[in-house]
Amino acid sequence: MRITRFAAMLSMAAALTACSSATPGSTGTPSANAGPVTLEFWCWGTSQKAKVEAFTKAHPDVQVKHTDVGGGTDTAAKLLTANRAGNGPDGVCLEYDTLPSMIVAGALADISAYTGDVKNAFSPEVWALTSFDGAVYGVPQDVGPMVLVYNRKRFGELKIEPPATWQDFAKVARSSRSAPRG
């Protein structure tokens, strides 16, 4: 998982560099005299400082300004506000459940062109957490454990196998909900 996170960080950095290094109205290629690029990166957590330092050391032409704006809804609210004011960050850590609202609000850019080299480092289910309608809006950073807790006795009574996919889960939910309680 460590290699996957590192690959994701590098891919995101490449995407941010490509998105942010252009001068207004250019094609995305910085001029030779442009000097170092500074990227604004919002992310919470104690591990961000070391990641930013390692990236900056490896890429001296890209300076990353890290700001911890809090996690969860704090980040989402601040991102929407900054985006509406026209001064949002170049990169941001968001929780997966906030991505749809950020996409609808126009606060995120499609970075599909910059993620092809890391897509296969993730399972399709994890990759889908940051992809919508064929566009990629982020690179997964981590995924907490996902488990299903079920009542084995009740499933046995109903002759239901534990679901293996979300489609199976929906079928099990429908059939168990309509089954008589006893």
Side-chain angles (χ1 to χ4, degrees), residues 26-128:
S26 75
T27 61
T29 306
S31 70
N33 298 328
V37 173
T38 300
L39 300 176
E40 180 74 28
F41 174 59
W42 291 2
C43 197
W44 66 92
T46 57
S47 66
Q48 301 310 316
K49 182 179 178 185
K51 290 177 186 178
V52 168
E53 287 173 358
F55 179 82
T56 301
K57 184 177 179 183
H59 302 88
D61 56 330
V62 180
Q63 301 300 305
V64 178
K65 180 181 177 222
H66 170 246
T67 304
D68 185 335
V69 294
T73 55
D74 288 344
T75 301
K78 290 173 184 176
L79 178 61
L80 283 175
T81 301
N83 187 60
R84 288 181 182 143
N87 60 358
D90 298 296
V92 62
C93 292
L94 291 171
E95 293 182 0
Y96 298 111
D97 60 344
T98 62
L99 277 176
S101 61
M102 297 297 111
I103 293 166
V104 169
L108 303 177
D110 178 3
I111 61 168
S112 300
Y114 310 105
T115 59
D117 58 338
V118 296
K119 180 179 179 179
N120 292 332
F122 300 93
S123 70
E125 297 81 10
V126 171
W127 191 255

Side-chain angles (χ1 to χ4, degrees), residues 8-19:
M9 182 180 76
L10 289 180
S11 178
M12 180 59 85
L16 293 174
T17 302
C19 293

